[in-house]
Amino acid sequence: MEIGIDSFAMNLLDSGTDAPIDGTKAVSQLLDRIVRADEVGLDIFGLGEHHRSEYLDSAPAVLLAAAAARTKRIRLTSAVTVLSAADPVRVFQQYATLDLISQGRAEMVVGRGSSIEAFPLFGFDLDDYDELFAEKLGLLLQVREQEKVRWQGKFRPALTGQGVYPRPMQAKIPIWLGVGGTPESFVRAGTLGLPLMVAIIGGDTHRFRPLIDLYREAGRRAGFTPEQLPVGLHSLGYVAETSAQAADEAFPGYAHTFSKRARERGGPAITRPQFDAQLGPLGALLIGSPEEVAAKILRHSEALGGISRVTFQMDIAAVGHERLLAAIELLGTRVAPLVRA
């Protein structure tokens, strides 16, 4: 099983002042965390895409290219590229270039996007949410297959045989489909034979099994083998020496983020008992000691019928740079060996 980290490049607080650190320092620290993940043997590091003041990941390919120059083996991916609001040709060019810089370590996770700010920013209509994605995904896959492309759609000027360059080092850059809880998205991934990355950030993980079964059945009907249909799990997580330490350090940041979202929707603040309930054997949060987190990953894999990748979103804990470095160390040196064994 591959184990890695996803980040939204959150503008973390300075541990000494509790004020946001400046962008230059935040980006430097993010790159240091990617380097540490590479050094401790993690398999993957992903960067999301947002266009909001609290995140620094609006240009993930640029950040990943900087990381590629400082790392040796870790695979570098988007997590996710908001393809509905992007030009698939430009996306392919960016990640093909990243693949050349990294000598064949680039990947993409593409999705419709759970945040909507990219749509008005780039002039797209939210009413076209799914139609945009379906068309652009088709074009991206065609560009991956063909150097010179003939294509016509609704939302972009036609391609009449133009070449798309550069071509990547890998014969095919891996393209995963990032999904939430929409059944149609699971079926789409299976029908296209694309690897599936499932974001489970709350509730009981096993409840997603029927959706993953939909994916696998759609893939089978489309002629793909089980080996061609890997499933990855993206979860909120944080690791410390003890379970109590991990929970105590992660809760304030978790509560701040999710209470803010709840208030925006007219709901109540997140309480510690609600948080603790998600730490149990069935809950989605991968927060605890190395041994506890490793055991929970294996339980999740069994509940979902087998997963081949798990990525931790640790920014949400908002614990600061030094604690994140320590958590990455534990993830690579203690969690990953237990899971792989």
Side-chain angles (χ1 to χ4, degrees):
M1 185 187 299
E2 294 179 312
I3 297 177
I5 295 170
D6 289 332
S7 174
F8 294 165
M10 290 180 68
N11 203 352
L12 300 174
L13 302 180
D14 189 301
S15 58
T17 65
D18 286 335
I21 61 178
D22 68 70
T24 302
K25 185 176 180 180
V27 167
S28 177
Q29 290 182 347
L30 171 65
L31 294 175
D32 286 344
R33 293 195 291 275
I34 301 176
V35 170
R36 179 65 59 86
D38 186 45
E39 291 171 344
V40 300
L42 292 178
D43 300 293
I44 194 89
F45 202 106
L47 284 177
E49 179 191 338
H50 298 82
H51 303 272
R52 303 174 64 169
S53 61
E54 63 264 40
Y55 303 118
L56 299 170
D57 61 349
S58 63
V62 177
L63 293 169
L64 292 171
R70 294 182 55 188
T71 55
K72 296 179 180 179
R73 59 168 299 276
I74 196 167
R75 297 190 67 80
L76 302 166
T77 184
S78 60
V80 303
T81 295
V82 184
L83 191 60
S84 304
D87 180 353
V89 174
R90 292 294 288 164
V91 169
F92 180 84
Q93 290 175 323
Q94 289 165 359
Y95 282 85
T97 303
L98 172 63
D99 201 53
L100 297 177
I101 295 170
S102 66
Q103 298 183 33
R105 293 185 282 132
E107 298 190 6
M108 281 181 259
V109 181
V110 301
R112 297 183 299 180
S114 58
S115 300
I116 64 172
E117 67 272 1
F119 289 83
L121 182 63
F122 296 111
F124 294 100
D125 192 334
L126 269 173
D127 290 340
D128 299 324
Y129 185 71
D130 189 66
E131 192 177 4
L132 275 165
F133 181 72
E135 178 177 298
K136 292 186 175 189
L137 177 60
L139 176 55
L140 178 64
L141 295 176
Q142 187 171 339
V143 170
R144 183 177 67 163
E145 296 290 333
Q146 301 170 358
E147 182 176 323
K148 295 186 177 181
V149 180
R150 293 187 176 276
W151 175 92
Q152 187 169 358
K154 176 179 177 181
F155 299 103
R156 187 198 188 283
L159 294 170
T160 57
Q162 295 94 328
V164 179
Y165 306 106
R167 306 308 295 181
M169 178 177 176
Q170 298 177 87
K172 281 188 179 182
I173 292 179
I175 298 176
W176 295 63
L177 192 61
V179 299
T182 307
E184 292 79 7
S185 296
F186 287 79
V187 172
R188 172 186 286 144
T191 301
L192 294 172
L194 295 177
L196 185 75
M197 179 58 70
V198 187
I200 304 179
I201 61 174
D204 293 345
T205 299
H206 71 273
R207 293 182 178 178
F208 280 74
R209 177 62 182 270
L211 294 171
I212 291 174
D213 288 343
L214 271 180
Y215 162 70
R216 290 175 170 139
E217 176 60 17
R220 186 191 67 79
R221 289 178 179 272
F224 297 100
T225 66
E227 292 74 25
Q228 293 175 296
L229 301 168
V231 175
L233 172 65
H234 163 97
S235 290
L236 306 181
Y238 179 68
V239 188
E241 287 288 348
T242 69
S243 297
Q245 179 188 350
D248 289 343
E249 290 177 357
F251 174 69
Y254 176 93
H256 172 78
T257 298
F258 283 94
S259 293
K260 180 181 178 182
R261 293 182 186 179
R263 286 194 299 270
E264 291 172 352
R265 299 169 184 173
I270 299 298
T271 65
R272 181 61 189 261
Q274 290 174 316
F275 172 76
D276 288 342
Q278 289 293 303
L279 303 181
L282 301 180
L285 298 183
L286 295 173
I287 295 175
S289 68
E291 295 74 19
E292 184 179 19
V293 168
K296 196 167 187 179
I297 290 171
L298 295 174
R299 284 197 299 272
H300 285 347
S301 180
E302 183 178 2
L304 297 176
I307 60 175
S308 62
R309 175 179 292 184
V310 61
T311 57
F312 286 65
Q313 167 45 274
M314 294 199 291
D315 290 2
I316 205 75
V319 295
H321 178 58
E322 293 302 324
R323 283 180 173 173
L324 285 177
L325 286 176
I328 290 169
E329 186 90 22
L330 290 173
L331 192 59
T333 61
R334 291 175 58 183
V335 175
L338 287 171
V339 172
R340 291 167 183 152

